[in-house]
Amino acid sequence: MRLVIQRVKSASLSVDGKSISEIGFGLMVFAGVCEGDTMQQVTKAANKISTIRIFEEDEKMNKNIHDVDGEVLLISNFTLCTKDTSGARPDFTLSADRETAKSLYLALADELDKLGVKVKLGVFGADMQINSHLDGPITIYKEIK
């Protein structure tokens, strides 16, 4: 599983011009479910998202999402599961099949909820339009094995 975690002042997501999800201060997380990913990666990813200390206190990044009473906008993104290729066209064959990816994406949202994280979702498989007000900008890439 691959994650891109961005600290945001706010973020919103729409599909076909219809507002779907919106958060205030917190994290926008793009999650790519790759072939072979399991619930073990989901659990690790949820723990990483809920504990990563990228919010400032006394000019140091010492606080996590719980400490700042923040929210998470969780967005599925199969394009994170690309293979390195020498060509110009990305190779997405590392992405999990649709059914598995959707199941693990929703499981990640459930795990975050169980950890007390306020989480809102994108629409799995949809063409989403996303607006964000990045904070920092702080962007972290994590590959969960």
Side-chain angles (χ1 to χ4, degrees):
M1 178 170 278
R2 297 176 180 176
L3 305 174
V4 173
I5 303 168
Q6 295 183 306
R7 190 173 76 186
V8 297
K9 291 186 182 265
S10 63
S12 61
L13 183 144
S14 63
V15 175
D16 295 328
K18 180 182 174 194
S19 179
I20 303 294
S21 294
E22 186 174 336
I23 65 166
F25 188 64
L27 300 173
M28 182 169 62
V29 178
F30 294 97
V33 179
C34 303
E35 187 177 86
D37 284 351
T38 66
M39 273 304 294
Q40 183 178 10
Q41 279 99 342
V42 168
T43 301
K44 286 180 180 180
N47 284 322
K48 176 55 71 181
I49 293 165
S50 70
T51 61
I52 193 166
R53 297 184 318 171
I54 59 174
F55 297 97
E56 290 182 18
E57 173 186 52
D58 299 328
E59 298 182 16
K60 290 185 181 180
M61 291 191 284
N62 274 339
K63 292 189 172 193
N64 64 36
I65 195 77
H66 299 289
D67 298 329
V68 298
D69 196 30
E71 302 173 278
V72 169
L73 179 57
L74 182 64
I75 303 163
S76 63
N77 190 331
F78 80 95
T79 65
L80 289 175
C81 296
T82 58
K83 244 188 217 183
D84 276 338
T85 63
S86 59
R89 183 181 304 240
D91 179 346
F92 302 115
T93 56
L94 293 180
S95 298
D97 65 85
R98 185 176 179 83
E99 184 178 310
T100 301
K102 184 174 184 179
S103 174
L104 292 178
Y105 165 69
L106 295 174
L108 178 55
D110 287 342
E111 288 296 312
L112 287 167
D113 185 59
K114 287 177 191 174
L115 293 170
V117 175
K118 293 177 247 174
V119 62
K120 295 187 179 170
L121 299 175
V123 178
F124 183 87
D127 181 13
M128 297 171 272
Q129 289 70 55
I130 301 161
N131 290 308
S132 64
H133 185 180
L134 298 179
D135 185 25
I138 304 295
T139 300
I140 307 292
Y141 172 78
K142 288 286 182 188
E143 189 161 346
I144 309 294
K145 296 185 182 220

